[in-house]
Amino acid sequence: MPLNAQQLNTATFAELLAATERTAVHLEMRDLYSVGDEADDYAAFLSTGVPNLDPTRSFWPQWTPLVQEAVGRGVVMRRARIVSEPVTDYIRYEHAITPLNLQAGEQVRWLPRRHASDIPLPGNDFWLLDDRLVQFNHFTGTGDWADNGKERTTDPTVAALCATAFEKVWERAVPHDKYTL
């Protein structure tokens, strides 16, 4: 996935994932996200307690094919979530819709925050592609995308920090089907 500096900054995430050859890992560390493309489904979940598991709604029609294509090429996609317990309403929602991540081909695990205290973690959620390209995701305090919400780097030291952090979280985390709220 050799990218020049301009490509690194202008490529969409879909283009980066399409160029990924082996691994795509995602670490989420917030207890609340408030991004617009899931607002309606989250509000409905809050009022009914029932998740919308229709893969043709919300952001899923854009996400699912990206995952399926990558996994179909042999890319292993893993997502780990560090969460506070008791969990927030948002984490209950996220847990309830995770079967759609699994159906697309992702592996998902959950780590209670109290078990992450001794893991050196970067300050932001991130994607790490092929152990060399990091995309940090920046959010506001309320969980929406911050202005300039993505930051990318191929700095080997940063990639190594993210790889080590993710692997430590992954080995301690509970697989989705075994994590109960």
Side-chain angles (χ1 to χ4, degrees):
M1 177 172 44
L3 296 172
N4 63 40
Q6 181 180 358
Q7 291 169 316
L8 179 66
N9 292 321
T10 60
T12 66
F13 185 78
E15 291 168 333
L16 296 177
L17 189 57
T20 300
E21 297 174 349
R22 298 177 324 282
T23 60
V25 301
H26 185 37
L27 183 60
E28 298 177 17
M29 299 182 283
R30 296 181 54 91
D31 288 322
L32 172 68
Y33 295 89
S34 177
V35 293
D37 59 356
E38 64 186 18
D40 291 341
D41 285 347
Y42 179 51
F45 176 79
L46 287 177
S47 67
T48 66
V50 178
N52 181 352
L53 295 176
D54 179 354
T56 66
R57 289 189 31 118
S58 193
F59 54 88
W60 296 106
Q62 293 78 39
W63 182 245
T64 300
L66 294 177
V67 175
Q68 290 172 333
E69 193 279 329
V71 170
R73 289 186 284 108
V75 174
V76 176
M77 290 190 70
R78 297 182 293 160
R79 179 184 301 257
R81 295 176 171 138
I82 298 174
V83 296
S84 299
E85 293 180 321
V87 300
T88 62
D89 287 340
Y90 182 84
I91 295 301
R92 284 187 319 103
Y93 161 74
E94 197 170 50
H95 187 271
I97 65 169
T98 295
L100 293 171
N101 295 91
L102 300 172
Q103 288 171 17
E106 291 184 64
Q107 300 171 40
V108 180
R109 292 187 181 181
W110 303 81
L111 182 64
R113 192 171 308 282
R114 69 181 180 277
H115 297 303
S117 296
D118 63 342
I119 301 173
L121 298 166
N124 295 287
D125 291 8
F126 65 85
W127 278 95
L128 175 61
L129 307 177
D130 286 338
D131 294 317
R132 63 171 299 282
L133 171 63
V134 179
Q135 176 176 292
F136 289 109
N137 294 332
H138 299 289
F139 297 93
T140 65
T142 59
D144 201 356
W145 288 107
D147 293 339
N148 209 6
K150 294 175 176 56
E151 173 188 355
R152 296 174 179 161
T153 183
T154 55
D155 180 317
T157 304
V158 174
L161 167 69
C162 292
T164 300
F166 184 87
E167 292 307 325
K168 283 286 187 192
V169 168
W170 189 259
E171 65 186 44
R172 292 182 189 181
V174 178
H176 175 74
D177 62 342
K178 293 185 176 20
Y179 183 71
T180 55
L181 303 179

